[in-house]
Amino acid sequence: MPAITATAPGKCILLGEHAVVYQRPAIAVPVHQVQIRAIITPIPGGNQNDIWIESPAIRLCSRLHQLAGTHPIKLLISAIMSDLNVDHLPPLRLKISSTIPAGSGLGSSASVAVAIIRAVTAFMGFSLDNSKINQLAYQSETHQHGNPSGIDNTVITYQQPIYFIREQPFELIRVKNSFALIIADTGIPSSTRDVVNDVRCQWQQNPTKFDTLFTCAADLCNQARSAIEDGNIQLLGDLMSRNHTVLQEMTVSSVMLDHLVDTALQAGALGAKLSGGGRGGNMIALVEPDESIHIETALKQAGAVNIIKTIIPANNTTTHP
Ligand code: PMV
């Protein structure tokens, strides 16, 4: 069996995080500047226990059978094997490398899952369609995050801008005019699972307030989809900034996220907001390409520990995947 390499990108949520857990729409785009790479090499002459899993970023180097039964990679590989109807893997080394910071809202866990699914299935000589890959990746996200909406695994599997409502078929978004994003990392790790759980507690205590916030985020998201389809980037920026205010009211922003959002806006961004689970991780700023260096410098001076620039290209995608 030849060695196999599979990759999966990062992602960011343009609008609608948290509300999307409660069946409101959200928009997400792939971020190709960061990625997970899964490389599988055969171990000639190895025995049945020689299935090595290595992930230097999380200091993991272990035989598969020695991982705890609840380990997400072990659960994922079992699910893939059961889907492929194979009862054992040949001796192999699966090495996972990452340029996606964990716990930063860029979708590292879903990206790991998609890269592993693609690598293992190709190594075993199978090919799965995106819908099956997405389903397996969602299952893996559930083991890790408890109650994920499914937006991360979907945008990372399909690698295109998506309009997503939980438990409904998602839609690809037609992008009339390309637009540029700066993604700035607060350097503060945050657990999406904890923040999502905390929002749930607050929603249970004050359903009227939180339902209103979720519906407000949904309105902004629907307007943002139209703005993207109409090529109205100025309006998209305004809607993103308004979504940040709604997220602040949900209590998922932080001093540093607010500081970077304000900095980006003062430096001329068209819009800015936190992206992902919040309370840490990344913020995003929608920028005119000409202004991007200036805004990037301002964000670095304001304490951003890492900056990624990405362009969402114009496309003619129809609305069905
Ligand atoms: O922090 P991330 O990148 O995993 O994004 C989480 C997005 C949430 O809406 C907060 C949760 C979810 O499952 O959609």
Side-chain angles (χ1 to χ4, degrees):
M1 277 166 176
I4 291 286
T5 299
T7 60
K11 71 97 210 353
C12 70
I13 297 182
L14 274 193
L15 287 98
E17 50 274 271
H18 288 289
V20 70
V21 175
Y22 301 82
Q23 271 83 17
R24 304 317 198 276
I27 295 173
V29 296
V31 177
H32 293 284
Q33 286 70 16
V34 287
Q35 65 173 14
I36 301 290
R37 181 179 294 265
I39 302 174
I40 302 185
T41 43
I43 304 182
N47 65 43
Q48 60 181 17
N49 286 331
D50 278 331
I51 303 199
W52 284 90
I53 311 294
E54 294 179 17
S55 178
I58 53 167
R59 295 207 182 94
L60 173 67
C61 180
S62 169
R63 287 189 164 98
L64 182 63
H65 75 279
Q66 286 167 332
L67 290 177
T70 53
H71 194 287
I73 294 180
K74 190 163 186 169
L75 289 168
L76 176 60
I77 291 179
S78 299
I80 300 168
M81 288 171 64
S82 126
D83 205 83
L84 299 179
N85 215 4
V86 297
D87 54 13
H88 71 281
L89 296 175
L92 61 82
R93 189 178 306 281
L94 164 61
K95 186 164 181 189
I96 301 148
S97 55
S98 170
T99 55
I100 309 181
S104 69
L106 293 180
S108 70
S109 60
S111 186
V112 167
V114 170
I116 291 178
I117 296 163
R118 290 199 199 282
V120 172
T121 50
F123 187 75
M124 297 302 288
F126 293 85
S127 125
L128 293 181
D129 62 19
N130 277 340
S131 136
K132 180 46 89 175
I133 292 170
N134 194 22
Q135 199 181 316
L136 286 166
Y138 178 68
Q139 215 174 306
S140 177
E141 285 283 273
T142 306
H143 292 136
Q144 297 200 61
H145 297 298
N147 182 27
S149 64
I151 190 169
D152 285 14
N153 46 282
T154 305
V155 67
I156 286 168
T157 300
Y158 288 87
Q159 303 190 18
Q160 291 188 61
I162 60 166
Y163 174 88
F164 180 91
I165 300 178
R166 190 173 191 168
E167 283 149 23
Q168 290 188 22
F170 72 94
E171 294 173 29
L172 301 177
I173 299 181
R174 190 173 46 78
V175 179
K176 186 167 180 193
N177 292 334
S178 70
F179 57 90
L181 294 173
I182 291 180
I183 304 169
D185 194 346
T186 60
I188 302 165
S190 171
S191 155
T192 297
R193 187 187 190 117
D194 291 352
V195 184
V196 167
N197 284 343
D198 185 48
V199 170
R200 180 163 297 276
C201 289
Q202 294 192 65
W203 171 68
Q204 283 163 345
Q205 280 161 17
N206 199 340
T208 310
K209 173 181 171 191
F210 272 77
D211 281 329
T212 306
L213 292 172
F214 297 149
T215 300
C216 187
D219 287 346
L220 295 170
C221 187
N222 286 328
Q223 290 181 58
R225 180 188 178 160
S226 301
I228 294 170
E229 290 178 342
D230 295 344
N232 191 343
I233 304 309
Q234 196 86 32
L235 175 59
L236 174 62
D238 181 46
L239 295 164
M240 285 168 57
S241 298
R242 284 161 62 191
N243 192 179
H244 184 71
T245 307
V246 175
L247 289 160
Q248 284 175 317
E249 287 179 50
M250 287 180 204
T251 75
V252 299
S253 192
S254 70
V255 172
M256 188 58 177
L257 281 166
D258 288 346
H259 178 51
L260 294 183
V261 166
D262 291 344
T263 301
L265 292 173
Q266 276 161 23
L270 301 173
K273 63 183 277 293
L274 71 85
S275 181
R279 303 227 169 119
N282 279 279
M283 56 75 69
I284 56 175
L286 183 70
V287 300
E288 300 276 17
D290 295 350
E291 295 287 321
S292 98
I293 293 285
H294 180 54
I295 297 167
E296 189 185 332
T297 307
L299 285 167
K300 276 189 191 147
Q301 279 168 358
V305 298
N306 190 40
I307 303 268
I308 297 165
K309 286 180 286 179
T310 190
I311 303 270
I312 311 305
N315 64 31
N316 283 317
T317 305
T318 53
T319 49
H320 296 288

